[in-house]
Amino acid sequence: EIVLTQSPGTLSLSPGERATLSCRASQSVSSSYLAWYQQKPGQAPRLLISGASTRATGIPDRFSGSGSGTGFTLTISRLEPADFAVYYCQHYDTSRRTFGQGTKLEIK
Amino acid sequence: EVQLVESGGGLVQPGGSLRLSCAASGFTFRSYWMSWLRQAPGKGLEWVATTNNDGRKTYYVDSVKDRFTISRDNAKNSLDLQMNSLRPEDTAVYYCATEYWGTFDSWGQGTLVTVSS
């Protein structure tokens, strides 16, 4: 069973700064099946990135995803106030879907 | 515009049953795999179950196997989750979502299930 570990647990940054969120898999996974989601308080999650690096419809280009094998990264180039939220990575295989525990991005 | 609206949540005693429903609109429902996910209070996301587009294949997280059943009615554009033998640890907001190659691309707003005596 693949385990996804996200770091850091909490990231404190200011608007305009660059955010780098990490997702590490317990074994090598296909980047085709690695996704990132954003969740704001009281809201459903929203798909940001699929296939490790493909932005979902309507997602601004300040969000980018990268990585392969066991290490994946979500980068937000210039933080805006609306970007402060919880971010989850997620992996898919034939019989199960697994989420990381989340990274909370908070305003410093 | 894709719309997913969950219903059926509420308070149920341990050992009880509940049936959740998800009404879908704005897309060709019969073409999509569909899933249920949940989020316990203050916790992260957990995938619960998935059904393929014709309902003949289903997949479950180990903790709900033999207790929960996912099903769909393509004629009515609806997705259900029958939950039996409920436990306090099943307390969560339950979301339905479209699934495309393992990615959950549209989500409903969720329905709260509370298992407590």
Side-chain angles (χ1 to χ4, degrees):
Chain A
E1 177 184 343
I2 293 171
V3 176
L4 299 178
T5 302
Q6 293 185 239
S7 61
T10 301
L11 184 57
S12 299
L13 294 170
S14 301
E17 291 192 293
R18 181 185 188 91
T20 303
L21 287 67
S22 173
C23 175
R24 190 151 299 274
S26 57
Q27 58 188 278
S28 184
V29 301
S30 168
S31 59
S32 297
Y33 303 127
L34 195 289
W36 290 91
Y37 301 83
Q38 176 194 65
Q39 187 178 33
K40 298 180 181 179
Q43 295 185 17
R46 176 175 70 149
L47 175 66
L48 295 176
I49 301 281
S50 63
S53 60
T54 302
R55 280 187 301 277
T57 303
I59 302 303
D61 60 6
R62 65 178 183 276
F63 290 89
S64 63
S66 63
S68 63
T70 60
F72 298 87
T73 301
L74 174 70
T75 301
I76 311 171
S77 58
R78 296 170 307 279
L79 285 167
E80 296 191 1
D83 299 335
F84 292 91
V86 179
Y87 293 84
Y88 296 93
C89 60
Q90 177 247 327
H91 174 256
Y92 153 85
D93 68 27
T94 306
S95 61
R96 72 181 74 226
R97 293 93 172 110
T98 308
F99 287 88
Q101 82 280 18
T103 290
K104 182 179 181 181
L105 178 56
E106 65 176 24
I107 299 177
K108 188 174 182 180
Chain B
E1 178 192 1
V2 173
Q3 274 209 310
L4 299 168
V5 180
E6 302 94 338
S7 61
L11 175 63
V12 60
Q13 292 190 338
S17 297
L18 211 56
R19 189 175 186 92
L20 305 183
S21 293
C22 173
S25 61
F27 65 104
T28 306
F29 181 75
R30 64 179 180 274
S31 298
Y32 277 78
W33 288 41
M34 295 294 297
S35 295
W36 286 98
L37 304 100
R38 66 185 179 184
Q39 186 169 36
K43 302 297 184 182
L45 299 169
E46 181 182 38
W47 166 73
V48 174
T50 292
T51 178
N52 75 333
N53 56 321
D54 65 7
R56 293 183 182 182
K57 294 181 182 178
T58 57
Y59 308 88
Y60 299 91
V61 68
D62 288 347
S63 61
V64 309
K65 280 179 184 174
D66 301 323
R67 298 191 300 124
F68 289 13
T69 302
I70 187 172
S71 62
R72 64 190 297 160
D73 185 335
N74 285 345
K76 296 182 178 179
N77 289 353
S78 68
L79 177 74
D80 286 347
L81 184 68
Q82 176 66 44
M83 304 187 295
N84 299 330
S85 303
L86 282 161
R87 305 166 179 168
E89 55 264 36
D90 295 318
T91 294
V93 174
Y94 284 73
Y95 297 99
C96 72
T98 58
E99 182 178 319
Y100 183 73
W101 284 107
T103 298
F104 305 108
D105 44 0
S106 294
W107 298 63
Q109 282 305 300
T111 187
L112 176 62
V113 172
T114 303
V115 184
S116 174
S117 54

